[in-house]
Amino acid sequence: MIEPGFHPPCSVLRGKLLSVSERTSLAWVPSILLSPASSPRSQADDTDDGPAPGTPGLPGSMGKSEDPEVPDREGLQRITGLSSGRSALIVAVLCYINLLNYMDRFTVAGVLPDIEQFFDIGDSSSGLIQTVFISSYMVLAPVFGYLGDRYNRKYLMCGGIAFWSLVTLGSSFIPRERFWLLLLTRGLVGVGEASYSTIAPTLIADLFVADQRSRMLSVFYFAIPVGSGLGYIAGSKVKDAAGDWHWALRVTPGLGVVAVVLLFLVVREPPRGAVERHSDSPPLNPTSWWADLRALARNPSFILSSLGFTAVAFVTGSLALWAPAFLLRSRVVLGETPPCLPGDSCSSSDSLIFGLITCLTGVLGVGLGVEISRRLRRSNPRADPLVCAAGLLGSSPFLFLSLACARGSIVATYIFIFIGETLLSMNWAIVADILLYVVIPTRRSTAEAFQIVLSHLLGDAGSPYLIGLISDRLRQGWPPSFLSEFRALQFSLMLCAFMGALGGAAFLGAAIFIEGDRRRAQLHVQGLLREAGPADDRIVVPQRGRSTRVPVSSVLI
């Protein structure tokens, strides 16, 4: 807003047609002359208005485009108040909890055949177990995203993980006639995961910057495939040792208590966004939740990368629940193992083997993706979404081949699964890094929550149930046999290859916008770019001795 007393050019007030240069100069008026002292808001809702002329890196700039300075180790310690050793220890604790979360999530998949036998349920009901959990997690993520941008993140995580541990322990005592109660408890487990997954990456973002952040995020996201694989392994091995699948659900609650203690004693809350600001730039203040959502909806890099990650979630969610069961059915059809009959414990090594493959491919894929992206970034600023696209598009044909070869060779199936999951895992850390550098610090927990909602709503919230439902529908038209059970699940899982190709296309779209969105976020954090909302698209001009507020658009006509 221009202060009262400002006199625009007479030609503007008289309705004279302005030249292109005059229009351009006046179009900058609200963002140049509206200082924080003359506005009740330090931030507004949208990011449509640009910076003043002379801002580095954007049209109209008089200076040279330069990236922001990266603080050294001593600088980071001075800004965060934490030593490099303490920051690394905090990341280690967060990694442990992330590993524990995914270990608990996939313990159920490791004993799924036994759960089906115990509760006497079909494929569609089995898929519902994961769908209920993901749906709860998805619904609660925006709540914790809002809280995480405004309140102490450490205590939010402590409360959520303590609740999750208690509910998981309770789910191991449900009788066979109460399947609905198992669904309820799995839904409540989503509280703990939502409280952690939306917040933990933002803590890492406030401790490190640039390549340091990318490396720490890669370590953090190593825990996803490793934890998932440990869930399969722990589930199958604890069940075999105890002779009862219920004990598989009693491992992670005890480890959850350890996680809460470590969180309380080790983790400290760093200042939000401080490591990315210039020393003379003002601190960022949170905006309203609706303002955050509007800004995120106008960030094409964030939206398209989230859609790409949705395809990753669809594929991983389907494989996580159904791959061990599919491999078991394949062995039955090949005559390598006896069928799982009612009343018997399902004996198979596939959960263990698939868990080991998931661990190994996860470590290999995450590390490979981060390293390739880091090297390509030196010559191509669009490297991150391009690497993600290559991973998804490359994984699709190998996942299809793994399904097609299952009838002929289980070894070939495992080889193709290994290659496909390695390429698929290249996305995990890179997608998180994209979100953190195209979204300003005061919106990152909300952005994490929005990405979780989108990726799970269209991804793994429904994919396990959808795969099971398609399998059941196919079996209804075929004579009952072990072969028909195998073929039905085989055909339904082929949907994953198609979804992977769609996700790759979304990442290719994100590559178009990534440079501009990243630069805008950097300028905003440095105080060189302010946001303008609907109320700011007005200037004050004198009219008959009084100041009158009029829209800029009406002046420019």
Side-chain angles (χ1 to χ4, degrees), residues 86 93 154-155 158 259-267:
R86 183 64 176 270
V93 172
K154 169 182 171 178
Y155 297 129
C158 284
V260 173
V261 174
L262 289 174
L263 265 178
F264 188 79
L265 297 178
V266 175
V267 175

mmCIF file of all heavy atoms in Angstrom, residues 86 93 154-155 158 259-267:
data_model
loop_
_atom_site.group_PDB
_atom_site.id
_atom_site.type_symbol
_atom_site.label_atom_id
_atom_site.label_comp_id
_atom_site.label_asym_id
_atom_site.label_seq_id
_atom_site.Cartn_x
_atom_site.Cartn_y
_atom_site.Cartn_z
ATOM 1 N N ARG A 86 25.757 -33.005 18.318
ATOM 2 C CA ARG A 86 24.390 -33.098 18.856
ATOM 3 C C ARG A 86 23.372 -33.153 17.723
ATOM 4 O O ARG A 86 22.388 -33.906 17.794
ATOM 5 C CB ARG A 86 24.121 -31.887 19.750
ATOM 6 C CG ARG A 86 22.750 -31.881 20.431
ATOM 7 C CD ARG A 86 22.602 -33.051 21.391
ATOM 8 N NE ARG A 86 21.360 -33.034 22.108
ATOM 9 C CZ ARG A 86 21.176 -32.432 23.289
ATOM 10 N NH1 ARG A 86 22.201 -31.782 23.859
ATOM 11 N NH2 ARG A 86 20.028 -32.471 23.901
ATOM 12 N N VAL A 93 18.470 -40.377 16.269
ATOM 13 C CA VAL A 93 17.257 -40.722 17.023
ATOM 14 C C VAL A 93 16.045 -40.713 16.096
ATOM 15 O O VAL A 93 15.195 -41.615 16.145
ATOM 16 C CB VAL A 93 17.053 -39.750 18.198
ATOM 17 C CG1 VAL A 93 15.691 -39.976 18.857
ATOM 18 C CG2 VAL A 93 18.160 -39.920 19.229
ATOM 19 N N LYS A 154 8.917 -31.490 19.329
ATOM 20 C CA LYS A 154 9.424 -32.589 20.145
ATOM 21 C C LYS A 154 8.311 -33.216 20.987
ATOM 22 O O LYS A 154 8.152 -34.443 21.018
ATOM 23 C CB LYS A 154 10.534 -32.055 21.051
ATOM 24 C CG LYS A 154 10.988 -32.981 22.146
ATOM 25 C CD LYS A 154 12.057 -32.299 22.976
ATOM 26 C CE LYS A 154 12.398 -33.090 24.219
ATOM 27 N NZ LYS A 154 13.480 -32.438 25.004
ATOM 28 N N TYR A 155 7.511 -32.392 21.649
ATOM 29 C CA TYR A 155 6.461 -32.922 22.518
ATOM 30 C C TYR A 155 5.313 -33.529 21.725
ATOM 31 O O TYR A 155 4.658 -34.478 22.181
ATOM 32 C CB TYR A 155 5.956 -31.819 23.457
ATOM 33 C CG TYR A 155 7.028 -31.318 24.389
ATOM 34 C CD1 TYR A 155 7.298 -29.958 24.518
ATOM 35 C CD2 TYR A 155 7.805 -32.201 25.126
ATOM 36 C CE1 TYR A 155 8.296 -29.495 25.362
ATOM 37 C CE2 TYR A 155 8.802 -31.756 25.982
ATOM 38 C CZ TYR A 155 9.045 -30.398 26.082
ATOM 39 O OH TYR A 155 10.038 -29.954 26.918
ATOM 40 N N CYS A 158 6.529 -37.018 20.927
ATOM 41 C CA CYS A 158 6.533 -37.870 22.124
ATOM 42 C C CYS A 158 5.135 -38.400 22.424
ATOM 43 O O CYS A 158 4.944 -39.601 22.671
ATOM 44 C CB CYS A 158 7.061 -37.081 23.324
ATOM 45 S SG CYS A 158 8.846 -36.830 23.346
ATOM 46 N N ALA A 259 12.002 -45.211 22.219
ATOM 47 C CA ALA A 259 11.985 -44.061 21.311
ATOM 48 C C ALA A 259 11.496 -42.800 22.014
ATOM 49 O O ALA A 259 12.060 -41.713 21.821
ATOM 50 C CB ALA A 259 11.098 -44.374 20.106
ATOM 51 N N VAL A 260 10.472 -42.929 22.828
ATOM 52 C CA VAL A 260 9.945 -41.763 23.552
ATOM 53 C C VAL A 260 10.997 -41.216 24.510
ATOM 54 O O VAL A 260 11.191 -39.993 24.620
ATOM 55 C CB VAL A 260 8.652 -42.139 24.302
ATOM 56 C CG1 VAL A 260 8.197 -40.984 25.196
ATOM 57 C CG2 VAL A 260 7.549 -42.497 23.322
ATOM 58 N N VAL A 261 11.694 -42.100 25.216
ATOM 59 C CA VAL A 261 12.745 -41.664 26.152
ATOM 60 C C VAL A 261 13.871 -40.940 25.406
ATOM 61 O O VAL A 261 14.345 -39.879 25.834
ATOM 62 C CB VAL A 261 13.296 -42.875 26.933
ATOM 63 C CG1 VAL A 261 14.489 -42.461 27.786
ATOM 64 C CG2 VAL A 261 12.207 -43.477 27.810
ATOM 65 N N LEU A 262 14.288 -41.490 24.265
ATOM 66 C CA LEU A 262 15.350 -40.850 23.484
ATOM 67 C C LEU A 262 14.903 -39.492 22.946
ATOM 68 O O LEU A 262 15.687 -38.523 22.940
ATOM 69 C CB LEU A 262 15.758 -41.762 22.324
ATOM 70 C CG LEU A 262 16.531 -43.034 22.700
ATOM 71 C CD1 LEU A 262 16.745 -43.901 21.467
ATOM 72 C CD2 LEU A 262 17.874 -42.678 23.330
ATOM 73 N N LEU A 263 13.675 -39.411 22.485
ATOM 74 C CA LEU A 263 13.163 -38.133 22.013
ATOM 75 C C LEU A 263 13.208 -37.078 23.113
ATOM 76 O O LEU A 263 13.638 -35.935 22.895
ATOM 77 C CB LEU A 263 11.715 -38.294 21.534
ATOM 78 C CG LEU A 263 11.445 -38.545 20.058
ATOM 79 C CD1 LEU A 263 9.951 -38.728 19.823
ATOM 80 C CD2 LEU A 263 11.960 -37.405 19.206
ATOM 81 N N PHE A 264 12.775 -37.454 24.292
ATOM 82 C CA PHE A 264 12.680 -36.504 25.399
ATOM 83 C C PHE A 264 14.056 -36.048 25.862
ATOM 84 O O PHE A 264 14.262 -34.868 26.195
ATOM 85 C CB PHE A 264 11.918 -37.153 26.562
ATOM 86 C CG PHE A 264 11.597 -36.198 27.671
ATOM 87 C CD1 PHE A 264 10.535 -35.316 27.555
ATOM 88 C CD2 PHE A 264 12.364 -36.170 28.827
ATOM 89 C CE1 PHE A 264 10.248 -34.426 28.570
ATOM 90 C CE2 PHE A 264 12.080 -35.288 29.846
ATOM 91 C CZ PHE A 264 11.014 -34.411 29.726
ATOM 92 N N LEU A 265 15.032 -36.955 25.859
ATOM 93 C CA LEU A 265 16.350 -36.634 26.413
ATOM 94 C C LEU A 265 17.312 -36.026 25.391
ATOM 95 O O LEU A 265 18.180 -35.223 25.759
ATOM 96 C CB LEU A 265 16.979 -37.892 27.017
ATOM 97 C CG LEU A 265 16.249 -38.521 28.211
ATOM 98 C CD1 LEU A 265 16.973 -39.780 28.659
ATOM 99 C CD2 LEU A 265 16.135 -37.525 29.362
ATOM 100 N N VAL A 266 17.196 -36.399 24.131
ATOM 101 C CA VAL A 266 18.214 -36.032 23.136
ATOM 102 C C VAL A 266 17.779 -34.874 22.246
ATOM 103 O O VAL A 266 18.558 -33.952 21.980
ATOM 104 C CB VAL A 266 18.575 -37.253 22.268
ATOM 105 C CG1 VAL A 266 19.535 -36.860 21.147
ATOM 106 C CG2 VAL A 266 19.174 -38.359 23.127
ATOM 107 N N VAL A 267 16.539 -34.900 21.767
ATOM 108 C CA VAL A 267 16.110 -33.947 20.744
ATOM 109 C C VAL A 267 15.828 -32.581 21.358
ATOM 110 O O VAL A 267 15.196 -32.479 22.415
ATOM 111 C CB VAL A 267 14.859 -34.476 20.011
ATOM 112 C CG1 VAL A 267 14.324 -33.443 19.024
ATOM 113 C CG2 VAL A 267 15.186 -35.772 19.282
#
